[in-house]
Amino acid sequence: MTTIADVAKLAGVSVATVSRTLHGSTRVDPRTRERVLAAAAELHYVASPTATSLASGRTNVVAVVAPMMSRWFFASIVTTIEQALREHGYHTLLIVLGDRPGQEQERLQPEMFVKRVDGILWLNVATTPEETALLERLALPMVCVGAAIDGAPTVLIDDRQAARLAVEHLLGLGHRDIAYLGTAVESTAHMSTPAARVEAFRDSLRAAGLPVHEEWVLDIDWTAAAAAAAIEPVLRGIPRPSAVLAASDEMAIGVLGTARRLGLRVPEDLSVIGIDDHTFAGVLGLSTVRQDVPAQGRAAVTMLLEAMNAEDLDGDPVSRIELATSLVPRDTTAPPP
């Protein structure tokens, strides 16, 4: 039976180096990694997960905690994270806290993590004081995406800046009567993004000396269907907005559907802009503010691997990465009628 020592001998490295390589350490020289992997493949060596866990105290599993999976952002970033972790020999334990309509958000419990995972990726979930205390007691390596937790490395975009870019685009076109979809309702209250974006919307209008039409600032679930239903009375009203900013492209797509059904031309009668650059945004010609979701996932995995292999690092790991957003004007925005 082939052992890890056999792999080390064939590759000409130490057993520890083989172990680090097979555990996905980012601090193994690429040429050494190739030799180790080639030797393991030649000898058909497959480490026993149970034996590896007992010997190293590791599980080779990472917990990915998300508020929901029914939104494009979370589905996209979890897919990227799972693929990146698998490339480094790790499996994913997905913990979804709030995707059950009509039920309270699930609370974190120690048994979700203890002796089950080596690290945690925390995806835009705002914690309660009790959850923060639990995470501190667990003392597991952790990286946050979006909502930051004190002391944890974080990957994020500036959500306020993303909303400002959208508002400034509409103002630059001449719009003054702007509706907004996507403030924090119960289903999104455990996410940090909704509050940041709507605050930036209000601040941007006030900075331009314009009123905020609060009757056009809508508390809705972040879905196309909810947006389509909520915007209808606003677009039927007199006066009505000349433009709509949706806090996500999914909601913006719902607005486009309702506008078409009411006979409003986009962008001649109504401009619509979203945030995200959803897969469908380019197909539909939707103006948006782009965030690079896969890049956020890959950066978070890299930071977590560094934290889990801190003994291999020279110096302190990176504690914060802020990725840029950018305006993508397409066919759904134009000067007001």
Side-chain angles (χ1 to χ4, degrees), residues 2-333:
T2 302
T3 67
I4 192 171
D6 298 325
V7 177
K9 182 178 180 180
L10 181 60
V13 298
S14 68
V15 169
T17 298
V18 175
S19 178
R20 282 196 296 270
T21 300
L22 298 181
H23 282 85
S25 172
T26 59
R27 303 299 293 180
V28 177
D29 182 85
R31 291 169 297 182
T32 302
R33 180 187 302 278
E34 289 180 8
R35 292 208 314 274
V36 171
L37 295 178
E42 182 178 337
L43 296 174
H44 304 288
Y45 175 74
V46 179
S48 163
T50 301
T52 300
S53 178
L54 290 172
S56 65
R58 294 192 173 191
T59 64
N60 276 19
V61 177
V62 169
V64 177
V65 183
M68 60 187 66
M69 282 297 293
S70 58
R71 304 292 186 271
W72 169 82
F73 173 87
F74 294 105
S76 299
I77 198 167
V78 168
T79 298
T80 299
I81 286 170
E82 193 278 332
Q83 292 172 344
L85 286 172
R86 186 153 28 93
E87 289 172 2
H88 288 89
Y90 285 88
H91 300 288
T92 301
L93 173 64
L94 180 61
I95 300 173
V96 181
L97 298 180
D99 242 355
R100 297 175 296 174
Q103 298 185 29
E104 291 187 4
Q105 177 188 344
E106 187 174 354
R107 303 257 62 95
L108 296 181
Q109 303 297 331
E111 55 269 23
M112 294 177 174
F113 306 99
V114 175
K115 295 184 179 180
R116 299 186 67 189
V117 301
D118 298 331
I120 301 172
L121 285 170
W122 190 262
L123 307 184
N124 206 14
V125 182
T127 58
T128 65
E130 294 77 15
E131 288 171 329
T132 301
L134 169 60
L135 293 169
E136 289 176 353
R137 290 197 304 273
L138 290 172
L140 287 167
M142 181 169 68
V143 171
C144 301
V145 176
I149 297 175
D150 288 347
T154 306
V155 178
L156 74 167
I157 65 167
D158 187 338
D159 281 299
R160 293 181 62 85
Q161 175 64 8
R164 281 194 295 267
L165 284 173
V167 175
E168 289 168 2
H169 174 61
L170 295 175
L171 295 178
L173 291 171
H175 293 278
R176 297 296 179 264
D177 300 312
I178 305 172
Y180 183 91
L181 280 76
T183 63
V185 295
E186 184 177 355
S187 65
T188 57
H190 49 285
M191 296 164 53
S192 65
T193 296
R197 292 184 183 178
V198 71
E199 286 171 7
F201 167 75
R202 290 190 173 104
D203 290 347
S204 296
L205 287 185
R206 289 169 183 149
L210 298 174
V212 178
H213 297 275
E214 292 295 343
E215 69 275 17
W216 295 345
V217 180
L218 305 182
D219 298 327
I220 65 170
D221 197 10
W222 282 38
T223 65
I231 200 63
E232 181 168 349
V234 174
L235 296 184
R236 288 186 182 277
I238 300 175
R240 61 174 172 81
S242 65
V244 177
L245 165 57
S248 76
D249 285 352
E250 290 185 53
M251 289 185 283
I253 290 168
V255 174
L256 293 178
T258 294
R260 183 179 63 251
R261 185 162 50 80
L262 296 179
L264 296 174
R265 299 169 301 164
V266 176
E268 292 84 357
D269 301 322
L270 178 73
S271 285
V272 180
I273 188 170
I275 299 174
D276 282 338
D277 204 18
H278 187 288
T279 305
F280 294 156
V283 175
L284 296 173
L286 175 66
S287 294
T288 188
V289 175
R290 183 175 189 267
Q291 61 169 321
D292 192 335
V293 177
Q296 293 176 62
R298 290 190 295 269
V301 168
T302 298
M303 293 173 75
L304 185 62
L305 291 175
E306 290 178 349
M308 292 191 300
N309 295 284
E311 70 277 5
D312 296 332
L313 285 177
D314 298 323
D316 295 328
V318 175
S319 62
R320 177 185 171 96
I321 295 177
E322 183 173 307
L323 297 177
T325 56
S326 58
L327 177 69
V328 185
R330 293 192 178 106
D331 304 331
T332 61
T333 50

